Each structure stands twice: as C-alpha cells, then as structure tokens.
Amino acid sequence: MWIADSWKDYEVLDASGGEKLERWGRYILVRPDPQVIWDTPRSHKGWNTRNGHYHRSSKGGGEWEIFDLPEEWSISYPLALPGGQAADREAPGILTFRLKPFSFKHTGLFPEQAANWDWFSRLIRNAGRPVKVLNLFAYTGGATVAAAAAGASVTHVDASKGMVGWAKENAAASGLGQAPVRFLVDDCVKLVEREIRRGNLYDGIIMDPPSYGRGPRGEVWKLEDSIWSFIRLAARLLSKDALFFLVNSYTTGLQPAVLSYMLSSAVAKDFGGQVEAEEIGLPVTSSGLVLPCGASGRWSRKS
C-alpha cells in the first residue's frame, strides 16, 4: 500500500462505525466512510469536540451539521524534494489548498493523493528537461499544483467551471499563479481527441475519473464502461520519452490488479517501463493502522 504519511496539517485521528474523525489544520471533522465497517470504541476526545459533522441521509445524500467552522480555511502540504527530504514552511514546494464543507461530504481535497504527488514530482524534477503534464478529471487541482511546483507545465482539465476556478485559487495560494498552467473547462474525452488531432504530446498523464459523471454538454461518463477505451486513447498522447501515467480509482470494481492489467496492456506494451498498482491509504493516529482510500495504478519509464 502507498501511504500518504507526510502530512502535518491533516490526519485521520480515529475511524469507527462508518465514520472517520479527521483533523484539517485547526478543525476537527467527522465524515462518513464506507470502508470503515468496524465498530471500535470512540475514545478519542475529538468525537465530542468536532467542528463539523456530515450526516448521511437514509434517502441519499446528506447534510453538514456545523458547530464552529469557518466558511473557508486553508491547509498546506510539504511536497517531497530531491533526495527524499521534505520542504519546510519557508522552502519551495509548500502546497496550499483552500477548503470548505460542501455537498456530498467533501472539503475540496483528497489527502491520500499526496502519496502520488510525491511520486510523480520526483520523476518531474529528476527528468532534467522540460516536462509537459496532462491532468484529466483534475477537480480542484491537487495534482496540478504538485506537478507545477515540481517544474512541469500543466494542462488542467475538468468539466466543472467551479472546480477549475477553485484549482486556479489553489495554484495562486501555493505561489504558482504565474506558473505555466493551462486551465480548461472541457469534457476530458473530447479534449483528448482534439489533442490527438492537433499532434500535441505529453510527458506525463494523470487521470482521476469519477465513477459516474456528465460533461459540460451533458456527456455521460460511466467508469466501468469507459475507462479501458479512455486509457488506450489517452496513451496516444504520450511522448516518445514519456515519464509516467497515473490512474486513480475510488470505484470498488477497479482493484489494483485491474489497473495494473490495463496500464500494462495499454501503455507498457508499447513504451516499456514498469507498472505498479496498490491501494492508497492514510495512517490512523489512534490505532497505528492504515485506512484504505482507493487504488492507484502507475506506469513509469524508470523506477
């Protein structure tokens, strides 16, 4: 398992009874998590001093119960630097993210993805040349900001205008407002098709596809029906000296072995290199165990 264990501003304090207790900077949140099927004693004091609690509804969806939480706040992440060391507060590589409680329990960030940010950032820094990265289904830009901080030029694509605007604000908060990032509100499949026709190539591709979604013009995306053909399509945008291809999955059916098989067939078969796939997770402070948070498949030219 790849574990995002370098956070200072975020931690999973405890997990029990279908919920996780998290610290986001100064604030404590309780949010539902379907992976938490155990029911251990809730001895951590944070369960009783939470700032916000998202309650699931039996009819679907849910709502926030707010006790003492601002409308917005920020946390930072020290991106790993060459040699494995982490940045300090005054050093380059501090990523800053805006947060807020909004619908469907989210805050605007998936902290477990830091394990992938560190991985591809090292590849970008060690390349010794200009690197172009395409980030698809890019959400609020965690991976975009990480790649830009590592020195890449990035094309950030998401179908939601609001999410793209949020990503721009995260880039600015991280000191990357003038970085070479192209922010696009677009359907990811159509964007890839256009880039192929234009002959544009990329050295790294990141995709974090939703289980289900719609494009800006109502285009339907269903992961199990679309992901294999889309990986093959996107692989046509890899440059001859491409560095990496990352696929994230939060869908139960796409286990690490499935991601590994698809990347091996669609990418490694033509480009060589190596494929790895693992669950990604976050350490739980109270138990010393790890909370699984999805899966990632990685192809890279070098280890």
Side-chain angles (χ1 to χ4, degrees), residues 3-301:
I3 303 172
D5 56 4
S6 295
W7 281 99
K8 301 294 187 292
D9 284 358
Y10 172 85
E11 64 180 315
V12 180
L13 300 169
D14 197 8
S16 176
E19 295 181 311
K20 56 188 174 185
L21 178 70
E22 305 166 288
R23 178 180 64 83
W24 297 81
R26 296 172 49 201
Y27 302 103
I28 306 297
L29 303 183
V30 176
R31 298 191 298 157
D33 191 314
Q35 298 282 0
V36 184
I37 62 174
W38 51 89
D39 193 7
T40 50
R42 296 188 173 195
S43 56
H44 195 286
K45 65 180 182 180
W47 292 107
N48 298 316
T49 60
R50 63 204 185 281
N51 299 100
H53 191 161
Y54 186 88
H55 298 279
R56 283 254 187 237
S57 169
S58 59
K59 298 179 181 179
E63 63 180 1
W64 282 96
E65 180 182 11
I66 302 298
F67 301 100
D68 182 17
L69 192 67
E71 291 185 3
E72 292 187 10
W73 72 104
S74 298
I75 64 172
S76 296
Y77 179 74
L79 193 66
L81 296 173
Q85 73 270 30
D88 60 37
R89 293 284 178 181
E90 285 73 38
I94 295 295
L95 312 182
T96 300
F97 303 104
R98 293 176 52 251
L99 305 173
K100 63 181 178 180
F102 69 108
S103 58
F104 305 109
K105 78 178 182 180
H106 297 308
T107 64
L109 187 67
F110 292 91
E112 62 274 10
Q113 286 299 324
N116 286 321
W117 303 341
D118 285 335
W119 169 73
F120 64 66
S121 294
R122 291 190 186 99
L123 294 176
I124 292 168
R125 284 196 175 99
N126 292 337
R129 58 180 173 84
V131 174
K132 291 176 58 180
V133 171
L134 176 63
N135 187 12
L136 301 164
F137 309 100
Y139 192 51
T140 59
T144 293
V145 172
S153 59
V154 185
T155 297
H156 171 112
V157 189
D158 197 276
S160 168
K161 183 177 180 180
M163 294 299 103
V164 172
W166 195 334
K168 290 180 181 179
E169 294 184 20
N170 282 336
S174 299
L176 297 164
Q178 302 303 313
V181 181
R182 181 171 59 140
F183 292 98
L184 301 176
V185 179
D186 208 336
D187 175 76
C188 289
V189 176
K190 292 185 177 180
L191 182 281
V192 168
E193 291 172 340
R194 288 201 304 275
E195 292 292 83
I196 291 171
R197 291 195 297 270
R198 292 166 178 164
N200 289 335
L201 298 176
Y202 294 87
D203 304 299
I205 294 176
I206 301 164
M207 62 171 66
D208 200 346
S211 297
Y212 181 85
R214 290 186 179 273
R217 298 176 182 82
E219 303 90 342
V220 175
W221 167 276
K222 187 175 180 182
L223 188 67
E224 293 89 339
D225 295 341
S226 306
I227 187 62
W228 164 238
S229 59
F230 189 54
I231 289 174
R232 286 193 300 168
L233 186 71
R236 294 170 59 185
L237 292 176
L238 288 171
S239 67
K240 62 181 179 63
D241 297 320
L243 296 175
F244 66 90
F245 196 124
L246 170 66
V247 182
N248 293 309
S249 170
Y250 291 90
T251 300
T252 304
L254 261 68
Q255 299 299 321
V258 177
L259 296 173
S260 178
Y261 199 105
M262 289 191 293
L263 286 173
S264 296
S265 300
V267 183
K269 182 179 179 181
D270 295 324
F271 289 86
Q274 64 179 22
V275 172
E276 305 171 280
E278 296 279 356
E279 287 184 286
I280 52 175
L282 290 161
V284 180
T285 302
S286 63
S287 65
L289 301 175
V290 176
L291 178 66
C293 303
S296 294
R298 300 170 175 175
W299 170 84
S300 62
R301 177 74 65 182

